[in-house]
Amino acid sequence: MKGNCMIVQSGGPTAVINNSMVGIIDAILQSPFSGKIYGAAGGIHGLLNESFIILNHLSIQDRYRLRWTPGAALGTWRHKLTAADVERIVAILRENDVRFFFYIGGNGSMNVAKAIGEYADAVGYEIAVIGVPKSIDNDLVGTDHSPGYGSAAKFLATSVLDIQMDMASYPVSNRITIIETMGRHTGWLAGACSLAEIADSNSQMLIYIPEVPFQLQDCLEKVSRAYEEKRNTVLIVAEGIRNSQGKVIHEDHLEYDSLGRLKLGGVSSCLKEAIEESTGIATRTISSSIWQRSSITLASKTDVDEAYSIGKEAWHQAEEGKTGVMVAMKRQSEEGKYSVLYQSVELEETAGKERFVPAEWYDPIQNAMTKQFKDYVLPIIQGEMLVPMEGGLPRYQRVM
């Protein structure tokens, strides 16, 4: 097979993103392909500035270690692509005889891959453009779930369970604890905390997601009632929860990022202030921040294996002559046993679009996730990672 390959990692890192990269490399090295495998150092920044790493020479041991290394080993960069950028990228790909282009990222990244593929086609440059899904937010359209989500969900549910065990240490306690998760427009991550619900505990769990308007007064009434009943309250809030007007509840205190989006985070502090001012009840906040996307020791083995397999599948689809597609997973459930099939969806169907938590998977009266939601998430958090340690700490692998 003629030409070279290019792998780019884009958007926010995940605990398993490197598995997809290694999956692509392993599949290529097991094929008749004899060209170079380039990695763009620093994501799209490396691509625009022709900063490439040759990945063919990564040893088996190096690739193996990368599979338990969190973060984007090739590096990543948030950048709003212009038409001139797309033109330059295609020119660079042509100059380096890149005929297979793999873009690992979320819905915004699929939009970039789509633009690159369309421009290459318009100027008559033959190249296979394959999108490889990655998102802890689980908001990619066209796939049952996104690699990265299962591990983040497992981390959050475990963390909430740990916190509840700590709270249960005190026989008489009526504390309010707010836990903030990522989730700009969707509540997949906040919802995953529902897996940590304990039926017979002395706590109530209230979950608030961006898909359903946040009702402050109702929240205040529920936490006050639990306080009077000598019960703890755990509030799970996605960073992007909105009021009935569709406005982020602390929008007036936020700035904008390089992509023109609100820099979210801090909703837990805003809610803490509102609760303490209205009820006088002392409230604490916990932000999982980037830990939810970077913890490999609490990663889901199912997620790790699927991220790797989806990378291998990306190469197989390129070998088959596919282009302008994203690799996707279709859930199978035969006799109650979970598995996935790998397929492809047109980038047109997923680029720039968002997948929301279905309305029927959330109970707005109880502020809780339904059994349907839990049944959906539970299979993809299964399995544990055995991360090799040195000196009591994980041994990670770097590429750059």
Side-chain angles (χ1 to χ4, degrees), residues 151-290:
S151 294
K154 188 182 184 84
F155 173 86
L156 286 168
T158 303
S159 298
V160 173
L161 190 59
D162 289 347
I163 289 168
Q164 289 187 112
M165 292 299 98
D166 182 270
M167 293 167 68
S169 302
Y170 301 91
V172 179
S173 178
N174 53 355
R175 301 195 66 166
I176 299 174
T177 301
I178 306 173
I179 300 172
E180 180 177 333
T181 75
M182 289 183 178
R184 177 174 293 274
H185 299 132
T186 64
W188 296 103
L189 286 169
C193 296
S194 66
L195 298 178
E197 286 178 324
I198 304 172
D200 59 349
S201 74
N202 189 43
S203 299
Q204 69 169 344
M205 180 182 293
L206 303 175
I207 299 175
Y208 298 99
I209 63 177
E211 289 90 340
V212 178
F214 175 70
Q215 306 293 340
L216 177 59
Q217 190 57 42
D218 180 70
C219 176
L220 293 174
E221 291 173 3
K222 287 175 178 173
V223 299
S224 295
R225 189 180 309 121
Y227 182 81
E228 293 169 1
E229 295 170 352
K230 304 299 182 183
R231 299 172 61 219
N232 294 308
T233 296
V234 179
L235 295 181
I236 310 294
V237 294
E239 62 183 356
I241 57 172
R242 289 164 164 75
N243 60 25
S244 56
Q245 286 75 48
K247 182 179 179 181
V248 174
I249 65 170
H250 62 312
E251 186 171 315
D252 295 339
H253 304 285
L254 300 176
E255 299 178 349
Y256 289 83
D257 64 16
S258 60
L259 300 179
R261 306 177 307 179
L262 285 171
K263 289 182 179 179
L264 298 183
V267 64
S268 55
S269 297
C270 175
L271 189 52
K272 166 186 163 71
E273 184 178 325
I275 292 173
E276 292 183 337
E277 285 185 359
S278 299
T279 69
I281 304 171
T283 302
R284 63 182 173 188
T285 64
I286 299 172
S287 176
S288 49
S289 188
I290 62 171

